């Protein structure tokens, strides 16, 4: 943390040195990324032990979670941390299940599935609905290998789906052969790829693009309207059209687009107001 952001974060030879959330900012490919150094998560954190609920509540708001593991005992710590986060409704490196539960006034439980049900059947789905006092609903399963947990997650509706990267410290304490084994731990991808960010540069009328301060969006939420809203909520209402240069534009000389145009990384945008 201290090396990346210049913000001091206490370190020592003992575990759980960080006692409060320490914020810092680092620039990645020109985009400012806020990093939060959180206190360690211990077993029972989901039940409030060690101020765990407050720590995990902060983690729920993040776009990417780095899980720092002791290289001498990575798998045990990994299992503990994942279990505590899972218990607080955080789903790591997963997408929201393609399951729909739509309540209705009458008609009982009607279930349709566009994929084979390999881990759950109609009776189990109805039993889950009954547990949640849902007596009338249309349930659509479009998730391959959907499970009872997937159905519960959709009904609960308070789950968050966050990518995670595992970081191993004390790497100098093990051999080259052991390092090769650690490469088999999944999700050892880069931060930028996991964040799935889109940098968009502004171009004022008659001036060159401002490449010093990109507007940073997330893929899937990178329309011109999202771009406008991230600057000021009134800009979208005032916009007549936008001109876009870059990967998402059809022409190298720029393309005139509307609010629903999807922007790509490093596009340049000029907003023409009414």
């Amino acid at each position: 943390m201290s090396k990346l952001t210049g913000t001091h974060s206490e370190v020592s030879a003992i575990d759980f040195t960080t006692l409060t959330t320490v914020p810092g900012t680092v620039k990645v490919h020109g985009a400012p990324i806020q990093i939060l150094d959180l206190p360690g998560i211990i077993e029972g954190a989901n039940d409030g032990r060690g101020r765990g609920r407050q720590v995990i509540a902060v983690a729920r708001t993040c776009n990417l979670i780095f899980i720092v593991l002791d290289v001498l005992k990575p798998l045990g710590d990994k299992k503990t941390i994942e279990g505590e986060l899972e218990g607080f409704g955080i789903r790591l490196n997963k997408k929201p299940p393609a399951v729909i539960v739509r309540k209705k006034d009458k008609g009982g439980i009607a279930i349709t599935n566009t994929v084979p049900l390999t881990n759950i059947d109609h009776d189990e789905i109805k039993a889950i609905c009954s547990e949640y006092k849902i007596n009338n609903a249309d349930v659509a399963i479009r998730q391959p290998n959907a499970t009872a947990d997937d159905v519960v997650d959709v009904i609960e509706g308070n789950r968050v789906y966050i990518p995670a990267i595992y970081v191993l410290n004390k790497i100098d304490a093990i051999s080259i052969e052991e390092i090769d084994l650690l490469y088999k731990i999944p999700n050892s991808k880069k931060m930028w790829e996991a964040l799935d960010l889109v940098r968009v540069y502004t171009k004022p009328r008659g001036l060159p693009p401002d490449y010093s301060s990109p507007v940073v969006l997330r893929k899937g939420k990178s329309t011109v309207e999202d771009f406008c809203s991230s600057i000021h909520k009134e800009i979208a209402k005032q916009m007549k059209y936008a001109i876009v240069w870059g990967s998402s534009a059809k022409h190298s000389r720029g393309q005139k687009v509307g609010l629903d145009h999807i922007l790509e990384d490093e596009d340049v945008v000029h907003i023409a107001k009414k």
Side-chain angles (χ1 to χ4, degrees):
M1 179 72 174
S2 300
K3 294 287 187 182
L4 283 173
T5 68
T7 302
H8 177 69
S9 185
E10 195 68 34
V11 295
S12 74
I14 63 172
D15 292 339
F16 309 113
T17 305
T18 302
L19 300 177
T20 60
T21 300
V22 180
T25 302
V26 61
K27 277 207 169 186
V28 181
H29 299 307
I33 307 296
Q34 185 181 55
I35 296 179
L36 302 176
D37 188 8
L38 300 178
I41 293 174
I42 61 176
E43 190 169 0
N46 178 46
D47 298 319
R49 187 179 173 206
R51 296 178 65 236
R53 282 185 170 270
Q54 295 96 316
V55 175
I56 299 176
V58 175
R60 280 179 62 95
T61 68
C62 296
N63 300 123
L64 172 66
I65 294 176
F66 282 95
I67 297 178
V68 181
L69 302 172
D70 186 330
V71 75
L72 299 176
K73 48 174 185 173
L75 297 182
D77 288 350
K78 177 175 180 286
K79 182 178 179 180
T80 297
I81 293 170
E82 288 176 342
E84 296 301 326
L85 295 176
E86 184 89 4
F88 209 74
I90 296 175
R91 302 293 179 258
L92 298 175
N93 296 313
K94 295 179 182 177
K95 299 292 185 183
V99 175
I100 298 172
V101 178
R102 186 178 293 111
K103 296 179 184 179
K104 57 187 181 181
D105 295 329
K106 56 184 180 180
I109 304 295
I111 302 169
T112 59
N113 53 285
T114 58
V115 293
L117 298 180
T118 56
N119 296 314
I120 192 172
D121 58 31
H122 285 206
D123 289 339
E124 288 173 298
I125 294 171
K126 290 178 179 178
I128 293 171
C129 289
S130 178
E131 285 183 26
Y132 284 89
K133 296 181 170 52
I134 299 173
N135 300 313
N136 302 287
D138 290 326
V139 180
I141 308 292
R142 302 168 185 167
Q143 173 81 24
N145 303 313
T147 65
D149 287 339
D150 291 328
V151 177
V152 169
D153 281 355
V154 170
I155 292 174
E156 290 274 2
N158 61 351
R159 308 311 194 221
V160 292
Y161 299 83
I162 306 175
I165 293 176
Y166 299 91
V167 180
L168 298 163
N169 65 2
K170 305 178 186 176
I171 200 74
D172 56 341
I174 62 174
S175 67
I176 294 296
E177 291 76 18
E178 288 170 314
I179 291 175
D180 288 338
L181 290 174
L182 291 173
Y183 275 115
K184 296 181 180 179
I185 293 179
N187 303 306
S188 57
K189 50 198 171 184
K190 297 177 182 177
M191 179 174 77
W192 184 257
E193 295 169 351
L195 282 170
D196 232 6
L197 299 180
V198 175
R199 295 160 295 173
V200 182
Y201 302 102
T202 57
K203 184 189 182 305
R205 181 183 294 276
L207 295 174
D210 179 8
Y211 291 111
S212 62
S213 301
V215 174
V216 181
L217 307 171
R218 297 291 303 278
K219 280 191 178 178
K221 293 186 177 179
S222 61
T223 63
V224 171
E225 185 172 10
D226 294 321
F227 168 78
C228 292
S229 297
S230 67
I231 300 172
H232 194 284
K233 61 183 180 181
E234 295 297 320
I235 292 180
K237 298 176 184 177
Q238 300 168 0
M239 190 186 94
K240 184 177 181 182
Y241 61 85
I243 300 177
V244 176
W245 295 265
S247 301
S248 72
K250 294 180 180 178
H251 320 292
S252 59
R253 63 182 181 275
Q255 179 186 355
K256 186 184 290 188
V257 301
L259 288 171
D260 59 351
H261 178 82
I262 298 174
L263 299 167
E264 297 290 341
D265 189 36
E266 296 197 282
D267 276 358
V268 174
V269 178
H270 167 73
I271 301 296
K273 295 184 179 180
K274 295 176 182 177

